[in-house]
């Protein structure tokens, strides 16, 4: 078929794309259509046509899917958020589970042998006995503030791929009190003639309203991000906000840069504590505005319980929790482990994590500030942690996934288990593949719906060291297994043998001889995986390697 922009055609939707958009094929050419569902026959207008795929707009639904529901949010038509709210909740869960499976298979090349069912916002609310609804769950909002068409301050979301504000005055996935707070701030701005930020001119004052609410405590934090050093009549803002039940912390954040980054560096505390508190399970957490905290409190507890279950702790393990935020997962783990080391890049979050350990009387958790990929190396060099001392590593990185240097470090120290908590199945799958190539096998996986009505999904994957049960890939990069602590590296041993004896030796041979003389306790270097045996180090090379060990004072 010859497709031209603005043509209207009828298509049938085959499946959903990664962003939850309907995908139809016309003679093999893929068309992406927002808000269309699999099985539906729809009339669409062709918009942008690239070489191999294009985009079309939904004009009319000719045959609707039985999974289609009326969106509950009055803003659904105009607001760019909540891409799946026209799909039944069961449909959303199935889509998310499939999305994770597809990514793991297509990008990661793995199909987890155990797949636990997705954790949805279903069942009864813990301690309340009322049914959980996949709405009004968000405990955090960061609304941009701009002028509406009449020049009044308004909050909303940016239209897709633009900075045009679509006013939203009652967001259906936020906790209602968050909408109330936003109403108070806008009322204050109108009353005191406080101008909204104007991006094009980089003028005006209030850029964002940032609100957070502790689900179990009801404590509320409000922070106005301003393009200036102070907020006129701020006492009036405080007066208004203090009327909102639960108001605990009111602050300003100064951000005068031309940037999309929301928070600036400087905080101005107006009233109350510089943090709010919330609980997850039995643990109480202190949360600063700059710290990350999961947005769906009902699901967070389920997610952490899954991570804890996958970590399979018995009380004598040393655990690393990398990308630990305010120590949420770390403190969950610490209750079952010997020791937990948390690493996080945001200093305020690390401070929260340390306070949180104290607040809960937890003494077996320590926190380090810095990039996980750098701090992990330091822990090995300076704190004596490393190979055979770390039993379980938990990672929970941002969307871009783990730094490759960090993955190298993890496989070098050879934990028995790696629990990967991820908010992006594509980068999860990429990293799982890398870990797989270095000897870690995916054991089980479980998705968790943290972002109901939207397309995002959280996943927990358990990987274990294949060699623990005798499986070893011959091409395993054993070179990196040992490269620290002032001892000779594999490369140094190889260079020495090459120089003195003229032989090239493999890392596997070094590992075998190390094992033979008791430098490393890994009897499985000598055995194959059953599918082909591992070559054995010849006598003359063994002697050369032994000589190198003596030279480097390993024996
Ligand atoms: N596990 C925590 C936080 C997960 S979000 C929780 O569930 O609450 C990811 C965290 O990684 C954020 O706190 C972010 O600040 C932090 N982060 C981002 N890049 C990092 C890096 N390179 N090293 C360490 N932490 C990083």
């Amino acid at each position: 078929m010859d497709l031209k922009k603005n043509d209207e055609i009828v298509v049938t939707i085959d499946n959903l794309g990664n962003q939850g958009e309907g995908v139809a094929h016309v003679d093999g050419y893929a068309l992406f259509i927002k808000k269309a569902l699999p099985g539906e026959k729809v009339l669409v207008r062709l918009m942008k046509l690239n070489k191999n795929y294009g985009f079309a707009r939904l004009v009319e639904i000719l045959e609707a899917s039985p999974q289609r529901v009326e969106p509950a949010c009055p803003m659904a038509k105009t607001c760019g958020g909540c891409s799946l709210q026209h799909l039944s909740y069961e449909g959303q869960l199935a889509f998310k589970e499939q999305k994770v499976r597809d990514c793991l298979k297509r990008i990661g090349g793995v199909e987890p042998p155990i797949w636990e069912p997705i954790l949805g916002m279903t069942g009864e609310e813990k301690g309340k006995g009322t049914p959980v609804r996949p709405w009004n769950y968000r405990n955090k909002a960061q609304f941009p503030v701009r002028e509406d068409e009449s020049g009044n301050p308004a909050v909303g979301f940016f239209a897709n791929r633009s900075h045009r504000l679509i006013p939203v005055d009652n967001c259906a996935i936020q906790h209602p009190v968050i909408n109330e707070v936003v109403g108070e701030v806008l009322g204050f701005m109108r009353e005191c003639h406080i101008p909204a930020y104007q991006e094009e001119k980089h003028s005006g004052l209030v850029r964002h309203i940032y609100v957070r609410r502790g689900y179990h405590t009801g404590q509320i934090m409000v922070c106005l991000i301003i393009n200036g050093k102070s907020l006129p009549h701020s006492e009036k803002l405080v007066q208004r906000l203090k009327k909102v039940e639960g108001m605990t912390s009111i602050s300003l954040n100064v951000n005068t840069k031309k940037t999309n980054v929301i928070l600036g560096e400087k905080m101005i505390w107006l009233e109350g504590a510089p943090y709010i508190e919330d609980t997850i399970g039995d643990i109480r957490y202190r949360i600063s505005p700059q710290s990350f905290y999961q947005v769906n409190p009902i699901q967070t507890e389920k997610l952490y319980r899954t991570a804890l279950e996958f970590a399979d702790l018995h009380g004598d393990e040393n655990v690393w929790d990398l990308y630990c935020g305010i120590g949420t997962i770390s403190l969950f783990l610490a209750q079952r482990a010997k020791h937990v080391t948390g690493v996080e890049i945001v200093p305020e979050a690390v401070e929260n994590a340390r306070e949180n350990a104290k607040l809960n009387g937890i003494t077996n958790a320590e926190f380090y500030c810095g990039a996980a990929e750098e701090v992990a190396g330091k822990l090995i060099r300076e704190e004596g942690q490393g190979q055979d001392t770390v039993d379980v590593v938990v990672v929970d990185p941002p969307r871009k996934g783990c730094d490759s240097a960090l993955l190298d470090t993890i496989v070098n120290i050879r934990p028995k288990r790696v629990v990967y908590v991820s908010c992006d199945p594509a980068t999860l799958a990429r990293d799982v593949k890398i870990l797989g190539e270095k000897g870690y096998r995916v054991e089980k996986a479980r998705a968790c719906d943290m972002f109901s009505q939207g397309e995002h999904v959280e996943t927990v994957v358990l990987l274990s060291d294949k060699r623990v049960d005798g499986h070893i890939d011959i091409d395993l990069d054993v070179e990196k297994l040992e490269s620290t602590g002032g001892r000779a590296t594999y490369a140094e041993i190889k260079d020495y043998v090459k120089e003195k004896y003229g032989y090239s030796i493999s890392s596997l041979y070094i590992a075998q001889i190390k094992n033979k003389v008791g430098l490393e306790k890994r009897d499985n270097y000598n055995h194959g995986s059953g599918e082909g045996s591992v070559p054995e180090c010849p006598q003359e090379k063994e002697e050369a390697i032994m000589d190198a060990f003596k030279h480097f004072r390993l024996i």
Side-chain angles (χ1 to χ4, degrees):
M1 200 195 286
D2 190 18
L3 302 177
K4 283 198 305 301
K5 191 173 169 175
N6 289 328
D7 278 359
E8 289 197 356
I9 60 169
V10 174
V11 293
T12 302
I13 307 297
D14 303 327
N15 56 332
L16 289 178
N18 270 340
Q19 264 88 51
E21 69 285 51
V23 187
H25 290 90
V26 182
D27 299 336
Y29 181 85
L31 273 179
F32 292 90
I33 303 139
K34 278 195 186 151
K35 301 196 175 164
L37 294 175
E40 290 187 329
K41 199 178 203 191
V42 288
L43 177 69
V44 300
R45 172 171 300 146
L46 302 178
M47 306 304 291
K48 189 169 166 33
L49 301 174
N50 297 325
K51 189 156 175 272
N52 299 316
Y53 61 92
F55 299 92
R57 180 173 295 163
L58 182 62
V59 178
E60 198 185 337
I61 301 164
L62 305 174
E63 279 170 31
S65 157
Q67 295 282 349
R68 179 169 285 278
V69 293
E70 191 58 36
C73 178
M75 304 301 303
K77 278 218 165 67
T78 43
C79 173
C82 294
S83 55
L84 290 178
Q85 57 173 315
H86 54 288
L87 174 60
S88 72
Y89 190 54
E90 303 79 73
Q92 293 182 22
L93 293 179
F95 160 73
K96 291 182 188 191
E97 192 156 34
Q98 195 57 43
K99 174 162 143 175
V100 177
R101 276 181 181 242
D102 288 349
C103 277
L104 284 174
K105 190 168 175 191
R106 194 166 39 82
I107 306 171
V110 288
E111 289 180 77
I114 301 177
W115 186 273
E116 297 188 0
I118 185 166
L119 293 157
M121 289 194 79
T122 50
E124 280 190 356
E125 206 159 330
K126 219 175 131 195
K128 297 194 179 163
T130 47
V132 172
R133 290 174 60 250
W135 292 100
N136 297 114
Y137 60 84
R138 277 189 67 103
N139 60 13
K140 172 188 172 185
Q142 283 173 314
F143 287 113
V145 185
R146 298 292 182 267
E147 285 182 354
D148 66 11
E149 279 157 6
S150 349
N152 284 319
V155 298
F157 291 108
F158 291 131
N160 240 346
R161 272 172 270 160
S162 83
H163 275 196
R164 187 167 56 83
L165 191 85
I166 297 178
V168 171
D169 48 18
N170 202 350
C171 174
I173 55 168
Q174 296 293 349
H175 188 278
V177 81
I178 291 186
N179 297 322
E180 182 187 340
V181 167
V182 168
E184 287 297 340
V185 175
L186 292 180
F188 156 76
M189 288 178 70
R190 280 194 296 270
E191 181 191 58
C192 298
H193 306 286
I194 306 292
Y197 182 57
Q198 287 184 298
E199 204 164 339
E200 320 75 58
K201 299 189 205 150
H202 192 52
S203 65
L205 194 58
V206 180
R207 297 172 72 129
H208 277 85
I209 304 173
Y210 170 14
V211 192
R212 215 175 222 168
R213 177 180 180 272
Y215 177 75
H216 292 281
T217 57
Q219 295 187 3
I220 298 170
M221 183 194 86
V222 182
C223 175
L224 260 58
I225 292 100
I226 55 170
N227 174 39
K229 293 201 173 71
S230 62
L231 177 73
H233 311 292
S234 60
E235 71 293 343
K236 287 211 166 129
L237 174 73
V238 170
Q239 255 172 31
R240 273 181 178 258
L241 289 177
K242 275 169 72 176
K243 284 189 284 184
V244 178
E245 203 189 325
M247 191 56 60
T248 302
S249 167
I250 308 173
S251 62
L252 303 173
N253 174 272
V254 177
N255 185 357
T256 53
K257 292 193 183 141
K258 283 188 180 173
T259 167
N260 285 337
V261 177
I262 296 178
L263 284 182
E265 272 162 31
K266 188 169 177 226
M267 294 295 300
I268 300 172
W269 303 103
L270 293 181
E271 182 81 12
Y275 53 78
I276 55 165
E277 291 184 355
D278 195 16
T279 58
I280 308 173
D282 300 329
I283 302 187
R284 196 168 182 90
Y285 295 101
R286 206 163 261 192
I287 315 152
S288 296
Q290 298 95 330
S291 302
F292 175 90
Y293 190 58
Q294 297 284 358
V295 296
N296 186 331
I298 294 174
Q299 296 301 93
T300 300
E301 185 170 346
K302 298 181 193 171
L303 180 78
Y304 291 172
R305 294 219 177 277
T306 306
L308 186 63
E309 181 200 315
F310 283 16
D312 190 21
L313 302 175
H314 299 277
D316 54 357
E317 294 89 353
N318 253 325
V319 183
W320 281 7
D321 178 23
L322 308 177
Y323 307 88
C324 70
I326 61 169
T328 40
I329 299 180
S330 323
L331 300 185
F332 251 64
L333 299 165
Q335 294 168 302
R336 301 254 190 96
K338 187 165 88 193
H339 189 267
V340 178
T341 304
V343 181
E344 160 64 42
I345 204 163
V346 173
E348 289 82 359
V350 176
E351 210 172 290
N352 287 158
R354 291 178 182 143
E355 287 167 351
N356 289 337
K358 276 205 201 113
L359 203 64
N360 293 283
I362 293 174
T363 53
N364 60 338
E366 263 179 304
F367 296 94
Y368 292 81
C369 186
E373 54 276 20
E374 287 163 21
V375 176
K378 258 193 217 152
L379 290 172
I380 297 169
R381 284 192 305 277
E382 294 166 19
E383 306 290 331
Q385 298 208 33
Q387 207 179 336
D388 296 332
T389 71
V390 183
D391 302 288
V392 179
V393 173
V394 178
V395 294
D396 183 7
R399 284 211 186 118
K400 66 178 184 199
C402 290
D403 188 280
S404 63
L406 177 67
L407 294 175
D408 280 345
T409 307
I410 292 175
V411 296
N412 288 351
I413 61 169
R414 229 55 224 176
K416 292 184 196 75
R417 288 182 289 289
V418 176
V419 178
Y420 198 131
V421 182
S422 157
C423 53
D424 185 334
T427 54
L428 165 73
R430 177 200 68 197
D431 291 349
V432 156
K433 182 160 195 236
I434 297 174
L435 291 169
E437 284 159 1
K438 314 258 175 168
Y440 280 82
R441 177 176 46 213
V442 170
E443 302 287 352
K444 53 182 171 176
R446 182 162 216 181
C448 178
D449 182 28
M450 298 290 274
F451 313 101
S452 310
Q453 316 304 332
E455 76 273 14
H456 292 294
V457 56
E458 198 83 13
T459 312
V460 189
V461 166
L462 169 67
L463 299 107
S464 69
D465 185 354
K466 284 189 207 172
R467 295 174 322 170
V468 169
D469 51 6
H471 290 265
I472 177 172
D473 290 339
I474 299 174
D475 62 354
L476 180 72
D477 189 358
V478 277
E479 190 155 326
K480 290 190 178 148
L481 287 173
E482 219 291 67
S483 59
T484 50
R487 291 169 287 173
T489 64
Y490 278 73
E492 286 167 333
I493 294 170
K494 283 180 188 178
D495 287 347
Y496 177 85
V497 172
K498 178 91 189 162
E499 178 90 48
K500 190 162 172 191
Y501 295 91
Y503 305 141
S504 292
I505 49 162
S506 70
S507 301
L508 182 72
Y509 287 166
I510 302 175
Q512 280 176 357
I513 307 308
K514 274 196 163 183
N515 181 49
K516 192 165 177 178
V517 298
L519 283 171
E520 275 179 3
K521 287 190 239 47
R522 281 208 182 78
D523 58 347
N524 41 13
Y525 282 125
N526 297 322
H527 313 308
S529 60
E531 311 148 6
S533 60
V534 177
E536 244 192 66
C537 184
Q539 185 64 33
E540 75 274 23
K541 289 193 177 177
E542 181 174 335
E543 279 165 16
I545 293 169
M546 288 294 283
D547 180 26
F549 287 177
K550 282 182 202 141
H551 172 81
F552 289 111
R553 295 181 201 282
L554 295 177
I555 50 174

